[in-house]
Amino acid sequence: MHRTFETTTERRQRVLNGAWEFLTDPENEGYEADYHESFPAEEADRLSVPSSWNAHTEYADYVGPAWYRRTFETDEESLLFTFHGIARDATVYLDGEEVASHEGSYTPFTALARHLDAGEHELVVRADNTRGEATLPHDDADWFPHGGIHREVVVETVPDVYVRDLAVEYDLYGDEATVRAEVTLHNVGARPAEPDLTVSVGDASVTDSVTVDGMDAATATLGLDIEDVDRWSPDDPTLYDVTARLHGEQAEEREGDAFADDLRDRIGFRTVSTAGREILINGEPVDIAGVNRHEDHPEWGSAQPLRIQERDLDIVQRAGCDAVRCSHYPNHPRFLDLCDEEGLLVIEEIPMWQVDESTMVSSQERAQRTLVEMIERDRHHPSIFAWSLSNECANEHPTVVDGTRQLKWAADGVDDSRLITAASNTDFEGGTDGVFDVCDFLSVNAYWGWYRDGDWDEFLDGIAEEYGEKPIVVTEFGAGAVPGERTHEGRKWSESYQADLLADCVDLFRERDDVAGFTVWQFCDTLTDPEAAMTRPRTHNNKGIVDEYRRPKEAYRVLRDRLADD
Ligand code: ADA
């Protein structure tokens, strides 16, 4: 499953995992109208879904378009397809007709096939992992451009009137909550419908009837009050089920034809705020001690089987960490479920990575779309306490500041219950950061002791002075260590150099009252863009505290020892 819990009880849900036919298309010969009939199945390979094709030795370096194909059987019914992640651009064809297209590897998109005939149908997906100047991320991003269907394809049987979306907001007063649930219904039938809609949160529920015209959508907002709320907190991560359920009989013409559909998610009640230099959850200060985590594994590429997600989280927690920065993109939704369950604190980011002034303009629309898609997908996760708008952009330029402010407005429009941040290396580069103004807390990336010599204390003093009374989180710091490189001298690229630097930094950050926390760069060694091979030994970013197979380096032990006494 793509989540850790059932998202529906009424719909028949299938995940189209397993082997799909696969063909690369280096010449970009494109799609012919009858490709679904002429797909050269005898030439096609078989590739597992979900996975990235680059995790298969034969396609390890392949960047370009490729085709996937499979068939499936269905009864006469309407099907809702959700593609949870295709890297990077995708076009989907059902029985030869284009039914969806989407840009961006890390956010989902859907396609609805209305009233399909019973029998066999064909799904063809064109995926292209080529990056360009204005794509997100752009073509200089240093993490590997994995391609393919790397997250689940979920197919659900939906009735004519179904719940298209459920968005829940709440206000908390002590142990009472006022909940507002905005539910969008879609009617793919010709006749108007008036189903009963019940929204439940834990044991509380409210019912109303909603009118939705034929071939139309309608949004209803239902409110309910919850008493004796058990708050979600890192120490006690209580979750509540929220369900939007359609039921009742159709009034006329379709006697006996009952509505039956549901969509389920989970929320946790908690507040997020700042006070002076502190980040507060439920009004209590939290010390953020975490890691940056890319979705990367030698056997799976950017795909994430449940076991890897569970194990990664276990390794993070065993180090004594309580936080994850999803660098640099929306993570798999099931990983966020695990973070909710375990009480982790999460910063989630969009892949606006090292963008200059002109790219801030040319990629603004894409960035806003990705941001809204991320927040709409993830707004119910209590573990996420901050949305990060960008990483290391040219924040000294007014154009970049303006572009980032527009992103903040876009985020606020969907969810204003979390903190906003943007990770900056501007001061490390010797400039002044205009984006910090837009942020609720300052996310600072710096590599003193690695790329450059310098004094961390002085640097942080400067930040604290320059940007006023806001919490500081050091969101990136660290050193590269080739796994197994152990030297008496402790030179760069050795595990001991990395471990010593990490120990000094962590001690310093924890001593300073103005630093609310840190996230180590990075959790595990990850594959980099081949272009970076000459500066990244093994074509990996070796700053992981565990290697790519999650074997601990000395830095992991040092971090665990440091955090153990908490
Ligand atoms: C930057 C960037 C990371 C990574 C890191 C490094 O800070 O945000 O994605 O590239 O540098 O290892 O140099």
Side-chain angles (χ1 to χ4, degrees), residues 223-234:
L224 67 173
D225 296 327
I226 315 279
E227 290 178 357
D228 298 326
V229 167
D230 253 340
R231 290 195 183 211
W232 182 98
S233 72

Side-chain angles (χ1 to χ4, degrees), residues 252-381:
E252 326 149 356
E253 292 168 27
R254 294 164 48 173
E255 234 170 281
D257 187 3
F259 294 106
D261 188 48
D262 69 339
L263 195 58
R264 181 184 158 207
D265 206 346
R266 297 186 312 196
I267 58 167
F269 291 102
R270 51 105 188 86
T271 60
V272 181
S273 56
T274 64
R277 300 284 190 194
E278 292 180 325
I279 292 177
L280 313 176
I281 302 290
N282 296 321
E284 297 289 325
V286 284
D287 285 328
I288 291 166
V291 293
N292 284 275
R293 179 173 171 275
H294 264 299
E295 294 186 321
D296 193 74
H297 191 280
E299 309 296 352
W300 299 90
S302 54
Q304 293 274 291
L306 172 63
R307 186 59 201 130
I308 287 176
Q309 298 174 324
E310 286 173 340
R311 183 154 162 73
D312 282 4
L313 205 51
D314 183 47
I315 295 168
V316 168
Q317 288 181 302
R318 287 157 79 92
C321 290
D322 60 8
V324 174
R325 175 170 174 243
C326 297
S327 50
H328 296 291
Y329 38 78
N331 274 206
H332 193 291
R334 192 180 47 215
F335 180 71
L336 300 168
D337 290 339
L338 295 172
C339 291
D340 292 343
E341 290 164 15
E342 292 297 318
L344 270 278
L345 296 169
V346 174
I347 302 174
E348 198 172 42
E349 188 163 273
I350 55 164
M352 280 292 267
W353 187 93
Q354 294 189 359
V355 160
D356 62 17
E357 307 126 86
S358 69
T359 315
M360 177 54 81
V361 174
S362 56
S363 56
Q364 178 67 217
E365 199 194 317
R366 280 191 179 92
Q368 288 197 23
R369 204 182 318 129
T370 304
L371 181 66
V372 168
E373 286 176 355
M374 171 176 85
I375 299 177
E376 285 182 341
R377 189 197 69 170
D378 291 337
R379 59 181 147 205
H380 294 153
H381 290 287

